[in-house]
Amino acid sequence: MASSSSSLNEELQCSICLDVFTDPVTTPCGHNFCRICLNTCWTNTQTCFCPFCKESFSRRPDLKINTTLREVVQHFKGDTCVAEKTYFTLEEKLNQEKSEAFCDFCDERKQKAMKSCLTCQSSYCETHLEPHHRVPRLKKHKLINAVENLEDYICQKHERPLELFCRDDQTCVCLSCTEGDHRNHNTVPIEEQSQQKKSQLVQIQTDVQQMIQDRMKKIQEIQHSVELRKNNTEEEKSASVELFTDLIRSIRKCQSKLLKTMEEQQKAAEKQAEDLIKELQQEITDLKRRNTELEQLSHTDDHLHLIQMYSSLNSRPHTKNWTEISMDTDVNVLPLHRALTQLKKTHKALNKKLSQTGLGCVQKYAVDVTLDPDTANPYLMLSDDGKQVSHGDTEQDVPENPKRFDDTCLLAKEGFSSGRFYYEVQMKGKTKWSLGVARESINRKGDISPSPEDGLWSMLLINQSQCIACDNPAVAFSHRETPEKVGVFVDYEEGLVSFYDLDSSSHIYSFTGQTFTEKLYPYFGPGFNDEEKSILIISPVS
């Protein structure tokens, strides 16, 4: 394919070979390419796509030459003899050297060389090359496209053309080299090695194109993930607003009801005080009237009248015993307790709803967990499928293993050093157990110290009803129902270990702000035998 001039319009250039079109064809998306270039790009590919805009096609298009564009290109190139056109493959284009070599035999104005002769070790213009086409002896010489660095094509040791390739030493050699240092080596003609490399180049190009497609697909996946994350965020924001709106509405309702009750109680107290004061004022009026009568009677000179009135005035006035009567200055806290009770119910309902949402989010990180018999204490009995473990009555004969625990516990086979994982364990009927995750270097000999500082993030059940999160300090849950099925979620990068009560779909406890530097393994402690010899079971996540 001829080289285009510097002023060549880009619209007449193939975007694959960057040269003027040869037999231009048009893809369904409207872009033009050389027919050979496009067919080479689509060799050994399952999915055809436009090399320019990357649009993929469900089936390979039936390409036909764009005759109008071809005539425009031919007119531009000044090529009037279409029959003399020479078609080159994409590999041949890659081998063409954009050389500025000049003829070694021009005396005055040097002409641009057309060919270089490896035998003569010289470059020739079209005029001085003529003998190589005519003279029989010269016809046998090896000609190549003109190059400036002709010495690179000549063996520096024997000054002969580098016509062979030594596959043992991976270097180009001449015929004389095969009689010396490369005598018994595997040598092949350079053309044969070049054709092999060209085939490999085509495969490499195919691989590169596939890598481009894979990365474009990955970009689409990332963009889709971002869009999906955005939609999920909007949904979570909406749900969060709804949750907090319900909580605020409930608080305001309880507050309004509480204030109304307290106001009604205050009015009732004021009405009571008003009635008592009226009654007291009436008694004061009656007592004042009697006091006046007594005063008058004490100054009378009518002895008969005094004796007659004395009996009626001497009797105790009919009044209330006010020493036992008082106003309560303390506010009745019963309405406040009722309001707080209602708020607790609302909070519990919202918390359950929130926990269910959180549980649904972590369950999608479920992993398949299997118990590791090499870590199990000799008294532990494992099922054949590695999903169940219980405490046996007798010590089993097991081989010595540095990974085996002296304490009655064991780990899972699977360890995790990044990302998130979740698993579920059923402990129905057990009166004691421990559960969580442990770092790989946890001390396995002697008693285990259940704390994050010692590499164990766990919860345990003791006394049949008391759950304890083994944090620092430990956190007890004495008043909650004993969970019989627990989910464990770990976010390695976030330093989070969370426990969920699956029966009530509620969150139990989380270790937060932890720093993980080792592989983490699910940890199980089935406890000693219960009366019914209950079993700790790794459950499939539904």
Side-chain angles (χ1 to χ4, degrees), residues 41 105 156 232 267 290 328 331 337 412 415 448 501:
C41 281
F105 295 91
Q156 299 300 312
N232 291 339
K267 288 181 180 180
R290 171 166 288 204
D328 189 1
V331 179
H337 290 168
I448 295 178
D501 182 349

Side-chain angles (χ1 to χ4, degrees), residues 332-343:
N332 187 355
V333 296
L334 182 59
L336 179 60
H337 290 168
R338 289 174 179 169
L340 292 177
T341 301
Q342 182 60 42
L343 278 179

Side-chain angles (χ1 to χ4, degrees), residues 141-195:
H141 289 192
K142 186 171 183 62
L143 298 176
I144 63 172
N145 291 330
V147 293
E148 289 182 286
N149 53 335
L150 187 59
E151 62 275 7
D152 292 343
Y153 295 78
I154 306 299
C155 176
Q156 299 300 312
K157 183 177 181 180
H158 302 104
E159 296 187 352
R160 297 186 66 179
L162 296 172
E163 300 177 289
L164 301 172
F165 182 81
C166 177
R167 288 179 172 173
D168 292 340
D169 295 336
Q170 292 293 298
T171 185
C172 296
V173 298
C174 67
L175 286 173
S176 298
C177 292
T178 60
E179 298 172 358
D181 296 339
H182 301 268
R183 178 184 301 275
N184 297 320
H185 290 188
N186 179 16
T187 57
V188 295
I190 280 186
E191 291 81 0
E192 180 181 339
Q193 184 70 16
S194 176
Q195 288 299 324

Side-chain angles (χ1 to χ4, degrees), residues 395-407:
E395 184 177 8
Q396 302 178 71
D397 184 15
V398 293
E400 287 291 333
N401 195 316
K403 297 195 301 180
R404 194 176 307 282
F405 284 93
D406 288 345
D407 209 345

